[in-house]
Amino acid sequence: MASWPAHLFLLLLCLVLLAGEATPQTAPPPSVDNSADKWARPGCRSKCGNVIIPYPFGIHNDSDPNSNCSRTPDFEINCTSDGTPYLGLGGNIEVVNIELLQGLLVVNHYIARDCYFQNGSRSKSNGASTNIIGLPNYKFSSDRNKFVAVGCDARGDIWSNRVSTFHTGCSSYCTNASFVPNGTCSGIGCCTTPIPMDLRNFSMIVYSYHNHSHCSFALCSYAFLADVDKLNFNLSSFTEYETREMAPLTLDWAIMGKTCEQANGTGDFACVSPNSFCWNSTNGPGYLCNCSEGFQGNPYLNDSINGCSDIDECSADKSPCVKWCHNREGSYYCSCPWYMYGDGRRDGSGCTSILRILYLSLGVGLSLFFLIAIGSLLYWIYKKRKLEELKQHFFEKNGGSLRPDIRLFSSEELEAASDNYNQTRILGEGGTGTVYRGVLPDQNLIAIKKAKISNDEAEVQQFINEVEVLSRINHRNVVKLLGCCLETQVPMLVYEFVPNGTLAHHVHGEGRRGSLSLEARLRISSEVAGSLSYLHSAASTPVIHRDVKTTNILLDHNLTAKVSDFGASRLVPLDQNGLVSLIRGTFGYLDPEYFQTGEFTDKSDVYSFGVVLVELLTGKKPVAKMQAVKNLATLFMECVNSGRLVEILEQRVVDEGTPELLDAAAELAMKCLSLNSHDRPLMREVAMELEALTRRTRIHPWGNVNVEEGDSLLSKVGSSSPSVLRDYVNSSIEPMVPFEIVR
């Protein structure tokens, strides 16, 4: 009697043989990527309303008539403001759909009608119609369209005599509604007749033999050219066409003028994509393009991405192979495992099992399999438990038990949102971490601040401090903290996504110099000042930012300012005026008094803001080599005190500002940059002054402003003279020694 391993071997062998038998199947056709952007010419609009506009068609651009979004003017699409596409710039042919690879264009077309009252008198009629396509690349499709007449006493005729004469028509009768068949157009209530090829224009007429006197339920006759695939005639069609003005018909289009043989090799050949081929139109002269077998895309685009690209037949949901699929350029091949034979194709012989598994190897293999499976399961459980313990450790270490009431993201959520922190998602990098753009499952954009791995507890504390500060702040000009992740070695912060980059990029970025108007600069500075005023005096617990600079000011799509990066910020108890700490900040923005004493107050933010205001007025970086090594604040104060203010201002600021306005803005900056913190204004005073200056730029964007309008709000508080030159001409300023503060 055979032992139990022999029985087990036979049972498993049968299962292997049964599982290995493959029934040949037809391979599913490769899907086509129909995303709109893939079909339009790069840089051109790809949709008008819900209609995809593929090249050689293109949407006309009124602001740039030479944009070349279409191959020729005949292929231009006029997209109206309500999102309706029309063929040609001045055309009235509404486009419904463009079938690029089939050379078809579905458009809406007028219906001719002839209606009567029950007494037999005519109620309304536009029974005659002439239809002409004035563009040379289009013809009425003889394969898809037929001439249709609808009615119970209707005669429709269609003819053309512009190129070659043809005349045809059909008649439709019915006396009882119950006789009308649904879904067919066979002569009872509806009739059709074909049209010839190469038809570019036609005239049609519809009329009644007996004025519908014997048909009370259908008192109108209709005639039109229609795509029969979209025609679904039934009894309700009699009333439907009473209010319906248009019916869809299909046009054949082609690249006119030449055949494939004549056009190939010329500079105007349309099939420019590699792996494309040309085929002659079946409806008159002209040719069309398509991708070769195994490729998909737009054959009219010479682009490796949007043109004809390789189809990956081995994708999981459409693999044509039974077992293993190997993609090739324009094709694929299949293979079978070592214990099977055949061509591996579903539409071929498939893969068939063979007997190659020996008795002993099967028993040993099964034993090893179970041992490995059990060991792998136990190891997975162990690793998962250790990972959960590590996450809990990091959660407690990063202040999870004392966290503010904000959303907690898991590390898996943020990895998925940032595509596993893909390098292409980086928005910015700093000394302590990197900011990534993320997309949540609900498609909302976020910014993820991921710290660099470090054993420095101070950096971890800096992230925790930013959570604590931002959780207490709710201001339109302060970047909003959406949540954080505390289960990683270093906590990660999640902010609202601010799409327009930093203020520094708009002021100093390559190609951006002079891109901001004076009004925008003053408005942005007013918004920043307002947010700092809120932090200093309106927040539940006052906050000192400690690192105000243009790289920490973000701009949204409306160029609205958002103050960010509160890692160095501190909450100040209401009974204290300042705090003492190690020097933290950025060279060029740092308050000299704070640098000397180590004590920072809200006036330290005022000084840093003054440097930001000077950056906006001059367009210069806070530290630059000009004659000698000086920072921008020192250089600006020297220019003002020596009466050379205009020399340091950016040209656009000078061009758009009045002398009084520029004098007031410079005076405000000088007050903020005072070396003695007691001489600097409060941020709320700065915000009020900038709001007033911003209003003046809106009221007087180019003209002069009288002295009464130009009075400085701050001059009424702490200055007797509105002139920057007179206030500071006698002040002595010590040049600051350059230094570097590493954050």
Side-chain angles (χ1 to χ4, degrees):
M1 184 176 181
S3 62
W4 72 267
H7 291 87
L8 179 61
F9 167 76
L10 293 175
L11 176 62
L12 290 176
L13 182 61
C14 292
L15 292 176
V16 170
L17 291 172
L18 289 174
E21 294 295 334
T23 303
Q25 301 179 22
T26 301
S31 62
V32 176
D33 185 358
N34 288 320
S35 60
D37 292 338
K38 188 175 180 63
W39 297 97
R41 194 168 190 175
C44 296
R45 290 176 56 192
S46 55
K47 293 186 71 175
C48 179
N50 294 323
V51 180
I52 296 176
I53 310 298
Y55 187 80
F57 295 87
I59 298 175
H60 176 71
N61 187 351
D62 291 329
S63 62
D64 185 9
N66 299 319
S67 57
N68 294 326
C69 287
S70 63
R71 175 177 169 83
T72 64
D74 294 339
F75 288 102
E76 283 199 5
I77 300 294
N78 182 22
C79 187
T80 62
S81 58
D82 62 351
T84 303
Y86 288 89
L87 188 62
L89 296 184
N92 59 352
I93 303 175
E94 180 185 350
V95 178
V96 177
N97 185 33
I98 301 175
E99 299 180 23
L100 179 71
L101 302 181
Q102 290 75 31
L104 300 175
L105 186 72
V106 182
V107 301
N108 276 331
H109 152 262
Y110 289 103
I111 299 174
R113 68 189 69 240
D114 190 34
C115 297
Y116 291 82
F117 293 110
Q118 289 189 358
N119 59 11
S121 62
R122 179 173 288 183
S123 62
K124 57 182 178 179
S125 176
N126 62 344
S129 175
T130 299
N131 296 268
I132 302 172
I133 297 181
L135 301 175
N137 296 295
Y138 307 92
K139 292 158 282 190
F140 297 100
S141 174
S142 59
D143 294 330
R144 295 272 291 261
N145 301 316
K146 287 188 178 181
F147 177 70
V148 182
V150 176
C152 281
D153 180 15
R155 170 67 188 183
D157 286 337
I158 180 172
W159 68 93
S160 173
N161 54 10
R162 290 179 178 268
V163 179
S164 58
T165 301
F166 92 95
H167 191 147
T168 187
C170 66
S171 299
S172 171
Y173 300 96
C174 55
T175 57
N176 192 309
S178 62
F179 295 160
V180 178
N182 287 330
T184 63
C185 191
S186 57
I188 303 177
C190 175
C191 67
T192 64
T193 187
I195 62 172
M197 294 178 59
D198 205 21
L199 180 64
R200 299 173 184 270
N201 61 82
F202 66 87
S203 299
M204 63 181 178
I205 189 170
V206 61
Y207 53 91
S208 168
Y209 288 113
H210 306 291
N211 300 344
H212 298 278
S213 57
H214 64 282
C215 183
S216 60
F217 64 90
L219 298 177
C220 289
S221 299
Y222 310 95
F224 49 91
L225 196 63
D227 188 325
V228 292
D229 291 337
K230 298 176 173 56
L231 181 67
N232 184 22
F233 175 76
N234 52 51
L235 185 62
S236 64
S237 298
F238 292 120
T239 55
E240 175 188 349
Y241 290 119
E242 290 182 9
T243 58
R244 187 171 173 181
E245 298 292 333
M246 312 284 280
L249 66 81
T250 300
L251 304 177
D252 287 331
W253 64 269
I255 309 298
M256 300 298 292
K258 297 179 181 179
T259 64
C260 290
E261 295 74 18
Q262 295 168 338
N264 193 3
T266 65
D268 195 40
F269 189 46
C271 306
V272 295
S273 176
N275 305 306
S276 65
F277 68 93
C278 176
W279 53 284
N280 291 319
S281 172
T282 58
N283 189 358
Y287 67 92
L288 294 159
C289 306
N290 208 330
C291 292
S292 303
E293 184 178 359
F295 295 87
Q296 65 179 5
N298 190 334
Y300 299 92
L301 292 175
N302 188 10
D303 189 324
S304 61
I305 298 177
N306 299 328
C308 294
S309 57
D310 175 54
I311 299 174
D312 184 6
E313 293 88 354
C314 297
S315 298
D317 58 341
K318 57 182 181 183
S319 175
C321 301
V322 175
K323 289 294 182 181
W324 294 333
C325 180
H326 310 273
N327 187 56
R328 287 175 174 172
E329 184 76 7
S331 64
Y332 66 95
Y333 71 94
C334 305
S335 62
C336 298
W338 65 270
Y339 55 87
M340 293 182 175
Y341 67 92
D343 60 13
R345 298 172 62 97
R346 293 187 184 276
D347 57 355
S349 62
C351 293
T352 305
S353 295
I354 58 176
L355 185 58
R356 288 189 178 178
I357 304 176
L358 300 176
Y359 167 80
L360 183 59
S361 61
L362 178 63
V364 173
L366 288 174
S367 301
L368 289 175
F369 171 77
F370 285 115
L371 288 175
I372 293 173
I374 295 173
S376 299
L377 178 62
L378 293 175
Y379 181 73
W380 178 80
I381 294 174
Y382 169 78
K383 292 291 290 183
K384 185 176 182 181
R385 181 175 300 174
K386 293 295 291 183
L387 180 61
E388 293 299 326
E389 292 176 354
L390 187 61
K391 287 183 178 181
Q392 184 63 30
H393 168 72
F394 288 144
F395 182 82
E396 297 294 336
K397 174 186 173 183
N398 295 329
S401 58
L402 303 175
R403 65 175 177 86
D405 189 16
I406 59 175
R407 177 178 175 181
L408 287 180
F409 290 85
S410 68
S411 56
E412 290 80 7
E413 283 182 281
L414 298 187
E415 286 178 2
S418 61
D419 192 15
N420 201 23
Y421 303 106
N422 195 306
Q423 294 295 309
T424 60
R425 298 286 188 92
I426 293 178
L427 298 175
E429 294 185 84
T432 59
T434 305
V435 180
Y436 296 85
R437 177 176 60 87
V439 183
L440 294 177
D442 60 4
Q443 301 304 309
N444 284 331
L445 295 177
I446 57 174
I448 305 169
K449 186 174 183 181
K450 184 175 184 286
K452 295 179 179 178
I453 302 300
S454 172
N455 295 322
D456 188 356
E457 292 294 329
E459 292 187 5
V460 176
Q461 189 58 41
Q462 184 174 337
F463 266 64
I464 298 174
N465 176 74
E466 189 161 0
V467 174
E468 182 180 5
V469 171
L470 284 176
S471 64
R472 300 168 182 261
I473 297 174
N474 184 17
H475 192 274
R476 68 184 297 268
N477 296 118
V478 175
V479 67
K480 186 176 182 181
L481 180 68
L482 303 179
C484 61
C485 176
L486 303 178
E487 60 185 28
T488 53
Q489 184 173 349
V490 178
M492 292 184 287
L493 308 182
V494 181
Y495 302 93
E496 63 173 317
F497 179 71
V498 185
N500 229 338
T502 66
L503 178 58
H505 168 71
H506 286 264
V507 176
H508 307 302
E510 184 176 351
R512 303 293 302 177
R513 183 173 175 83
S515 63
L516 294 177
S517 65
L518 176 59
E519 187 276 332
R521 296 170 193 244
L522 291 177
R523 176 183 53 76
I524 290 170
S525 61
S526 176
E527 291 170 347
V528 175
S531 65
L532 293 176
S533 173
Y534 166 82
L535 296 175
H536 291 175
S537 56
S540 58
T541 301
V543 177
I544 300 176
H545 190 281
R546 297 180 69 199
D547 198 13
V548 178
K549 56 184 178 181
T550 52
T551 54
N552 285 343
I553 299 170
L554 307 178
L555 299 179
D556 67 9
H557 60 280
N558 293 322
L559 295 183
T560 300
K562 302 275 188 177
V563 178
S564 67
D565 201 343
F566 286 78
S569 302
R570 288 294 182 269
L571 300 170
V572 182
L574 294 175
D575 58 348
Q576 294 187 29
N577 294 325
L579 297 173
V580 177
S581 78
L582 296 175
I583 305 300
R584 301 295 293 269
T586 303
F587 176 51
Y589 296 92
L590 199 61
D591 175 11
E593 191 173 85
Y594 167 42
F595 179 70
Q596 294 172 2
T597 65
E599 180 179 1
F600 62 89
T601 66
D602 55 353
K603 296 296 185 70
S604 301
D605 282 353
V606 175
Y607 182 89
S608 300
F609 174 80
V611 178
V612 171
L613 181 56
V614 171
E615 273 189 84
L616 287 169
L617 293 175
T618 64
K620 303 182 187 304
K621 295 184 178 180
V623 179
K625 291 185 178 181
M626 300 178 63
Q627 297 177 354
V629 179
K630 297 179 181 179
N631 61 36
L632 179 60
T634 302
L635 186 62
F636 180 79
M637 297 174 76
E638 287 182 359
C639 288
V640 171
N641 288 331
S642 60
R644 296 181 291 112
L645 172 62
V646 175
E647 294 181 11
I648 197 171
L649 296 180
E650 188 165 10
Q651 186 59 46
R652 181 168 182 176
V653 173
V654 175
D655 293 341
E656 296 182 2
T658 62
E660 293 84 356
L661 180 64
L662 299 180
D663 187 73
E667 178 184 6
L668 178 59
M670 292 288 282
K671 288 180 178 292
C672 293
L673 295 175
S674 296
L675 298 181
N676 190 331
S677 62
H678 297 291
D679 295 335
R680 301 172 198 158
L682 297 173
M683 276 315 306
R684 65 171 177 269
E685 296 171 343
V686 176
M688 293 170 60
E689 175 74 2
L690 284 171
E691 185 177 352
L693 293 178
T694 304
R695 287 198 300 268
R696 286 165 58 180
T697 61
R698 294 170 182 164
I699 298 172
H700 301 282
W702 294 289
N704 291 327
V705 181
N706 59 46
V707 175
E708 287 74 22
E709 283 183 306
D711 286 346
S712 169
L713 295 178
L714 289 181
S715 65
K716 298 175 183 178
V717 177
S719 176
S720 60
S721 170
S723 170
V724 172
L725 301 181
R726 288 201 304 270
D727 275 350
Y728 293 91
V729 71
N730 297 319
S731 63
S732 60
I733 301 174
E734 295 292 335
M736 292 180 59
V737 178
F739 55 88
E740 179 70 33
I741 301 299
V742 181
R743 300 195 55 228

